[in-house]
Amino acid sequence: MGFNELLRDLQRGASAQAAGISRGHGAPARTVSARSGLHRLRCASLLKPLYAWVTASRIPDAERWRRHAEPAVVISSNSDTRSLWLAVGPLVILDDIYQRTGVSWPMHNADPSRFGSIEVAADEVATAYAALAQAALAGDPVAGSVLDWMRQVEGEQTYGTRQALGAPEAGIKCGWFGEPDETCLRTHAVAVLPNGGTRATVVVALTAQPYTGGREREIYQTRAAEGHPVEAEHEKVSGPLLRGLLTTTLAELGHGERP
């Protein structure tokens, strides 16, 4: 299934984006992207590995950094992410991401303690992760650790993306949420594919699917507020679309083709 079919069948009020990048020594860089709906979406969990990467140099105590950075990536711990975010400072973190990746993300919320307020586009996320992956390939030990942690993400937190992509060794980070004042559930994913050599391949999918059933939303919000898992609801609403966007992006990039 191609992008046209995936995006054509979106419900009214839905947004979806996909982007991919493959670059490095050898064949010319290749990029692909598609979008329907909003230009930017809040995708807090997708940025946690990037926050972990850039905060390492700002926290002198390496053990303290790792104590928060690893669970922020592997189990998507919000409390540990917040510890990194506040210890270093949001403007410093966002500027460091820009300096390393060329991607600039402003804060759209007046409360700087809310790391989840950053709004992004899929092609920006792909570009940032390509920089992370290439830094790891070039010998950056922190970038290498972050990618290793992404390879440890498992279970319902992967939404079956490794299987769909046919890449069991891929580094994965997924995210999900629906704020009480929102009528959509946001579900998103990034995958860093193994290539060998110096080439980095990244695919990203962002979705916001309408979730307007009053009773269902009430149950969802109660479960989320009480800390219960809600991944299954996101799988039901967005799982097939998320995987379809990722696999289509990877196919468009020609991943695995001979250079």
Side-chain angles (χ1 to χ4, degrees):
M1 183 178 291
F3 286 127
N4 286 341
E5 291 82 2
L6 289 166
L7 300 179
R8 181 190 60 206
D9 295 334
L10 290 178
Q11 301 177 59
R12 184 184 299 272
S15 293
Q17 300 184 24
I21 184 168
S22 183
R23 70 187 191 195
H25 184 72
R30 183 180 292 185
T31 62
V32 62
S33 64
R35 174 174 61 88
S36 178
L38 295 174
H39 180 65
R40 293 180 176 276
L41 295 169
R42 283 184 288 170
C43 305
S45 291
L46 239 57
L47 308 184
K48 290 174 180 177
L50 299 174
Y51 298 160
W53 179 33
V54 301
T55 53
S57 63
R58 299 286 185 175
I59 298 177
D61 185 340
E63 284 304 312
R64 178 190 172 205
W65 168 79
R66 186 185 183 103
R67 188 165 62 248
H68 295 299
E70 185 170 3
V73 177
V74 178
I75 63 172
S76 206
S77 168
N78 286 330
S79 61
D80 287 292
T81 304
R82 192 173 298 110
S83 293
L84 297 174
W85 184 254
L86 296 178
V88 174
L91 296 182
V92 174
I93 290 173
L94 294 174
D95 185 62
D96 282 354
I97 290 175
Y98 170 70
Q99 295 299 325
R100 296 192 191 195
T101 70
V103 177
S104 177
W105 286 316
M107 291 203 66
H108 294 281
N109 191 288
D111 182 357
S113 67
R114 297 190 62 187
F115 67 84
S117 66
I118 307 303
E119 297 181 352
V120 303
D123 57 347
E124 297 170 340
V125 176
T127 297
Y129 272 91
L132 170 68
Q134 289 189 294
L137 291 169
D140 179 341
V142 174
S145 292
V146 171
L147 284 182
D148 284 343
W149 295 336
M150 290 177 66
R151 296 183 187 104
Q152 296 173 33
V153 177
E154 59 184 15
E156 289 187 326
Q157 290 201 41
T158 69
Y159 288 100
T161 51
R162 289 195 184 94
Q163 294 87 338
L165 293 169
E169 300 301 317
I172 300 291
K173 188 73 189 78
C174 298
W176 53 94
F177 205 62
E179 293 281 6
D181 61 344
E182 294 179 333
T183 58
C184 286
L185 292 188
R186 289 177 279 113
T187 317
H188 25 272
V190 58
V192 180
L193 284 297
N195 280 292
T198 62
R199 196 162 191 84
T201 297
V202 177
V203 291
V204 178
L206 315 179
T207 70
Q209 293 274 71
Y211 194 65
T212 55
R215 179 58 179 160
E216 287 183 323
R217 287 180 63 204
E218 181 181 347
I219 294 172
Y220 175 94
Q221 294 299 339
T222 298
R223 289 186 59 82
E226 293 176 351
H228 298 297
V230 293
E231 291 93 333
E233 201 63 19
H234 285 264
E235 167 60 34
K236 182 177 73 176
V237 173
S238 301
L241 174 61
L242 195 74
R243 290 186 290 274
L245 291 170
L246 291 172
T247 55
T248 299
T249 301
L250 192 63
E252 291 289 335
L253 285 175
H255 182 68
E257 295 179 357
R258 295 176 61 89

